[in-house]
Amino acid sequence: MKLHNNNINNNENNNELNTNENKSKPKKKKFIDREKAKELTLKAAKALDDKKLENITILDLDGVTTLSDYFLLATASSSPQMKAGSDAVYKELKEEGVLPYAENDNNPESVWYLSDYGFLVVHIFTEEGREYYNLDKLWHEAKKIDLL
């Protein structure tokens, strides 16, 4: 079983007042097992579906790569929809105490928004970006997971 280390703001175990000293402390880490990773990935996919993104695909990368456990791919019809989808996933996972390790610039001219949560990498494309980068084909060995 893989364990994942993700950023988390852990206020449950830290009852100290928020002082300058506390602000300089590194963020606490949380381990996420594979079952929890799949649950959070499905929640992220639902958040994208709620924002009406299309062609939502979850790729299970187990046995294919060690980069991540899951890729979540989706297509947006516009830049504002890409941002709305990215923001919805961020909000959903933040409620679970998970923050991204990294994101690309995600500017309005982008054809690809990327957010890396460690166990999950979210790829939101315009139609042109999805066709050009063709991650579905690149990662064809990965098992596709049905959205529930």
Side-chain angles (χ1 to χ4, degrees), residues 4-109:
H4 304 282
N5 197 2
N6 287 311
N7 295 330
I8 182 166
N9 293 325
N10 191 348
N11 293 328
E12 298 168 358
N13 297 328
N14 186 0
N15 292 326
E16 300 173 18
L17 294 175
N18 191 11
T19 64
N20 287 337
E21 180 181 310
N22 289 341
K23 289 180 185 177
S24 65
K25 290 183 181 178
K27 293 178 181 175
K28 304 253 182 193
K29 303 290 182 176
K30 176 180 175 180
F31 289 101
I32 297 178
D33 64 27
R34 186 141 171 85
E35 185 177 319
K36 183 68 173 178
K38 183 176 181 180
E39 175 189 326
L40 293 172
T41 299
L42 289 168
K43 284 185 176 191
K46 170 112 173 56
L48 293 176
D49 187 55
D50 289 348
K51 294 297 179 184
K52 309 295 184 210
L53 276 80
E54 298 178 350
N55 199 12
I56 299 169
T57 305
I58 298 173
L59 300 178
D60 183 345
L61 301 172
D62 189 37
V64 178
T65 184
T66 58
L67 290 173
S68 184
D69 286 331
Y70 300 99
F71 278 178
L72 177 56
L73 305 130
T75 304
S77 60
S78 66
S79 182
Q81 188 182 31
M82 288 174 69
K83 180 172 178 7
S86 180
D87 290 349
V89 170
Y90 178 87
K91 181 180 176 189
E92 184 68 36
L93 295 182
K94 184 178 179 188
E95 288 176 4
E96 297 286 338
V98 179
L99 297 173
Y101 285 118
E103 296 180 294
N104 65 354
D105 290 338
N106 296 344
N107 66 52
E109 293 81 35

Side-chain angles (χ1 to χ4, degrees), residues 87-135:
D87 290 349
V89 170
Y90 178 87
K91 181 180 176 189
E92 184 68 36
L93 295 182
K94 184 178 179 188
E95 288 176 4
E96 297 286 338
V98 179
L99 297 173
Y101 285 118
E103 296 180 294
N104 65 354
D105 290 338
N106 296 344
N107 66 52
E109 293 81 35
S110 294
V111 296
W112 183 2
Y113 274 31
L114 181 139
S115 300
D116 183 352
Y117 290 90
F119 67 92
L120 168 67
V121 180
V122 180
H123 304 270
I124 302 174
F125 298 96
T126 61
E127 289 180 33
E128 298 80 17
R130 183 100 181 232
E131 285 179 31
Y132 181 80
Y133 291 104
N134 204 357
L135 294 186

